[in-house]
Amino acid sequence: MSRLIPLELTTDNRIKLNQWSKAHGTPQQVVKRCQLILVMASGVSASKAAKTIGVNRHTAELWRDRFRKDGPNTLWEIAEGRGRKPKKGLAKEIIERTLNSKPRGQTHWSSRQMAKSLGVHHSTVARVWQDHKLKLHRHKTFKLSRDPKYAEKLIDLVGVYLNPPAHALVLCVDEKSQIQALDRTQPGLPLKRGRASTWTHDYVRHSTTTLFAALEVANGKVTGQCYARHRHQEFLKFLRHLDAEYNEGQELHVILDNYCTHKHQKVKKWLARHPRFKMHFIPISSSWFNLAERWFAELTNKAIRQGSFTNVPDLIAAIVEFVEASNEQGKPFIWKATAEELLAKFERYRKRLEEISPGCTKRKSPKKVSV
């Protein structure tokens, strides 16, 4: 029998192989090669080393000989002609199917469905999607306003935000309707270190309330009133409350949406008798123009969503407390977008939608208005 020739390792090579075999980013095939060399360097034969690592004996002998000839860097190399052969045009076909087809009865492909239809591994499909930034599991919502006076209203609103009239007060008015007083069926566990707070998945409804709020753009102060309903009668009550809240000689510029109660005949008559109220209606389907909506999001996230209310008065008390705390902080929302930027963005989206689906906007682009 031939005598076993031990594999010799320098100290630097041994340290390098140990680092590679333990590094998080090292491919598993390289890790096994490093482990083979380290085991054989301890005086073990190629067949025993192969059995220990779980590979073929010929594989162990191959990498031992390569290591002796070319050093440790050869462990990262793949010999020419080895490995899976690339399929020509596969990536193009995957992208074409992803963008222009759907699996039967479903809205979008999964990597495994696509791989099965093409006869490849699902990781290949996932890699192509990743390389071309295709994310089928995600989607975003949008709404392109079809208001024929979109540009006119936009310029008016942005002007009020960025350059408000002198000696006037700008108010963002809106109502948050159907705020539910929800109570959990069982007491939950409080928040503690290492564990989130808990509540039951089911709940009991204890009627609703509607919050009418006016946000002062200049300082972030909020004036709010809760009512059982949100008809034009309640809106008139809130307007009277605002009329009494602010000085008689002060002009009030009110930004609000196109809800039918805001344009009721009785509301129009009341506004005609109170000319200091200047109404600025936002474009249709553009609620983000109203900063009161942003404040409502704060109210929901910080005072309502995780609350438990046994009745409507408890809910109203929580809302009033949040309003008072918010007014003490006095932190306004700052509007920064200009009319030119918003109109250019609108036009980009409109053109993109027309390219994808001609006629989908169903109206002409807003008339050009001098800014």
Side-chain angles (χ1 to χ4, degrees):
M1 294 178 63
S2 60
R3 188 170 62 88
L4 176 65
I5 303 175
L7 183 63
E8 296 182 358
L9 281 182
T10 64
T11 303
D12 291 342
N13 285 343
R14 187 179 295 274
I15 293 173
K16 187 180 292 186
L17 293 178
N18 277 308
Q19 288 177 343
W20 286 348
S21 64
K22 296 176 182 178
H24 178 73
T26 305
Q28 285 301 302
Q29 57 183 358
V30 179
V31 171
K32 285 193 173 184
R33 294 166 192 170
C34 293
Q35 292 172 347
L36 276 172
I37 300 301
L38 289 170
V39 171
M40 287 187 286
S42 64
V44 177
S45 65
S47 59
K48 289 185 179 180
K51 188 176 181 180
T52 302
I53 303 302
V55 297
N56 188 276
R57 174 176 63 84
H58 299 290
T59 301
E61 292 174 347
L62 172 67
W63 289 108
R64 179 194 63 193
D65 297 340
R66 286 189 183 180
F67 183 85
R68 279 176 174 165
K69 182 180 179 181
D70 299 321
N73 289 332
T74 192
L75 301 180
W76 291 80
E77 298 173 358
I78 299 177
E80 187 177 352
R82 302 301 299 271
R84 184 187 302 169
K85 305 300 182 292
K87 188 176 179 181
K88 191 174 182 180
L90 177 61
K92 184 178 180 180
E93 186 175 358
I94 291 174
I95 296 170
E96 181 68 22
R97 287 200 183 191
T98 302
L99 298 178
N100 300 316
S101 67
K102 297 177 182 179
R104 183 181 178 186
Q106 299 182 38
T107 58
H108 60 279
W109 290 98
S110 69
S111 59
R112 283 174 169 77
Q113 285 176 318
M114 180 69 73
K116 186 176 180 181
S117 67
L118 294 174
V120 297
H121 197 268
H122 67 86
S123 62
T124 302
V125 177
R127 193 180 304 112
V128 171
W129 286 351
Q130 185 178 18
D131 291 342
H132 293 80
K133 297 182 180 180
L134 295 172
K135 302 176 181 179
L136 279 71
H137 62 287
R138 298 186 62 185
H139 70 276
K140 294 182 179 180
T141 58
F142 81 99
K143 181 67 176 181
L144 199 63
S145 177
R146 294 175 179 172
D147 194 325
K149 296 183 179 181
Y150 179 83
E152 181 182 334
K153 292 180 179 179
L154 181 148
I155 293 169
D156 175 54
L157 290 170
V158 173
V160 173
Y161 278 134
L162 296 181
N163 189 23
H167 310 295
L169 190 65
V170 179
L171 300 174
C172 290
V173 174
D174 202 359
E175 57 269 336
K176 185 174 177 63
S177 61
Q178 301 295 314
I179 308 175
Q180 299 185 82
L182 300 181
D183 185 23
R184 301 292 160 177
T185 56
Q186 298 176 13
L189 297 175
L191 173 71
K192 65 178 295 186
R193 185 178 297 177
R195 188 192 68 197
S197 59
T198 65
W199 59 34
T200 58
H201 70 276
D202 53 346
Y203 48 81
V204 180
R205 290 189 180 95
H206 297 286
S207 192
T208 63
T209 188
T210 294
L211 171 65
F212 285 77
L215 171 70
E216 295 183 24
V217 175
N219 55 26
K221 180 183 175 182
V222 175
T223 301
Q225 291 283 307
C226 288
Y227 301 103
R229 302 175 71 177
H230 52 100
R231 305 166 299 171
H232 73 275
Q233 293 94 324
E234 284 75 27
F235 183 57
L236 278 172
K237 288 181 183 178
F238 186 63
L239 288 178
R240 295 188 188 102
H241 176 76
L242 293 179
D243 190 33
E245 181 77 13
Y246 298 102
N247 297 330
E248 291 185 5
Q250 192 172 30
E251 196 173 76
L252 301 178
H253 287 259
V254 180
I255 297 173
L256 69 170
D257 60 25
N258 297 274
Y259 188 44
C260 59
T261 59
H262 301 161
K263 298 181 178 181
H264 195 276
Q265 288 299 323
K266 291 185 178 180
V267 174
K268 291 180 179 179
K269 291 179 181 178
W270 187 92
L271 291 172
R273 297 194 303 271
H274 298 79
R276 73 177 182 131
F277 281 81
K278 309 295 182 183
M279 313 303 277
H280 302 267
F281 291 97
I282 66 175
I284 298 171
S285 302
S286 302
S287 60
W288 50 272
F289 269 113
N290 196 333
L291 292 179
E293 293 281 359
R294 182 65 188 86
W295 185 84
F296 284 156
E298 294 285 307
L299 170 68
T300 301
N301 293 331
K302 297 180 179 179
I304 297 178
R305 179 170 289 140
Q306 296 189 34
S308 183
F309 311 102
T310 57
N311 50 56
V312 172
D314 285 348
L315 173 62
I316 295 175
I319 294 173
V320 171
E321 186 177 4
F322 180 82
V323 170
E324 293 174 351
S326 177
N327 290 339
E328 289 176 1
Q329 295 176 1
K331 188 175 180 181
F333 300 106
I334 307 299
W335 185 277
K336 295 183 179 180
T338 63
E340 292 87 348
E341 293 171 347
L342 293 174
L343 286 173
K345 187 175 182 180
F346 178 93
E347 191 63 21
R348 286 198 305 271
Y349 275 99
R350 189 192 65 80
K351 287 182 178 179
R352 192 181 305 173
L353 287 174
E354 286 289 349
E355 290 173 0
I356 296 172
S357 180
C360 66
T361 54
K362 295 184 180 179
R363 74 169 187 85
K364 298 179 181 180
S365 58
K367 296 180 180 179
K368 293 185 177 180
V369 183
S370 58
V371 180

